[in-house]
Amino acid sequence: MSDTYPVSYYCPHCGAVVELDREGYLSDRSVTPYPLEGWEYAPPDEGFESADGVAVTCGESEAAGLSWTGERSPADDVSDPTEPLGCGRRFYLSFVRFEGGERVDPESESESVTIRDPTSPSGPRGPSGPGGPDGRP
């Protein structure tokens, strides 16, 4: 086994900071509250070096090489910084992946989503009369 190094991450839900001992050759891609589509994750107490990332449950510290610092990250992207540290929610550390020497990006979402402005009406515009809603015959 090669040398391991403690690397700090934070829970994107509550901001709790965790240190994970991992091998130096692994490159981080992202830490997200959801798994990347097409990535395979291992728990921190298994051989995650051969996986695409690590699935961590915030506040659990039974895995060797995983320790919670008791600190909270001041990062702007923490979804609820008022939530208690060690919120128990899962988050995902994703490593950079390569296939055939090329960097692999996560697969696109399988469905398109259209978000409407909730302040704009979604039905017909005005009363329909003999000429229809546009007033044309």
Side-chain angles (χ1 to χ4, degrees), residues 1-2 4 20-26 42-44 46-54 95:
M1 177 184 243
S2 58
T4 60
L20 177 67
D21 289 340
R22 64 175 185 75
E23 296 192 23
Y25 73 88
L26 295 169
E46 293 184 12
F48 62 81
E49 290 83 4
S50 61
D52 299 326
V54 183
F95 300 131

Side-chain angles (χ1 to χ4, degrees), residues 4-136:
T4 60
Y5 305 91
V7 181
S8 296
Y9 304 97
Y10 63 89
C11 172
H13 304 290
C14 70
V17 176
V18 64
E19 286 186 348
L20 177 67
D21 289 340
R22 64 175 185 75
E23 296 192 23
Y25 73 88
L26 295 169
S27 295
D28 296 335
R29 176 173 180 69
S30 60
V31 175
T32 57
Y34 51 84
L36 298 180
E37 193 167 331
W39 259 240
E40 291 187 27
Y41 296 88
D45 58 350
E46 293 184 12
F48 62 81
E49 290 83 4
S50 61
D52 299 326
V54 183
V56 178
T57 301
C58 184
E60 288 187 6
S61 61
E62 297 174 17
L66 180 78
S67 60
W68 296 91
T69 67
E71 297 175 18
R72 185 184 306 268
S73 171
D76 292 340
D77 61 346
V78 172
S79 63
D80 187 357
T82 63
E83 191 167 0
L85 290 177
C87 66
R89 297 172 66 189
R90 185 165 275 196
F91 63 94
Y92 301 86
L93 163 61
S94 302
F95 300 131
V96 174
R97 283 180 39 194
F98 291 91
E99 289 180 10
E102 298 289 321
R103 184 176 169 148
V104 177
D105 288 325
E107 296 175 17
S108 299
E109 293 292 325
S110 55
E111 296 181 26
S112 296
V113 176
T114 303
I115 300 175
R116 292 187 184 177
D117 180 0
T119 60
S120 65
S122 60
R125 294 177 290 157
S128 60
D134 293 333
R136 290 187 255 160

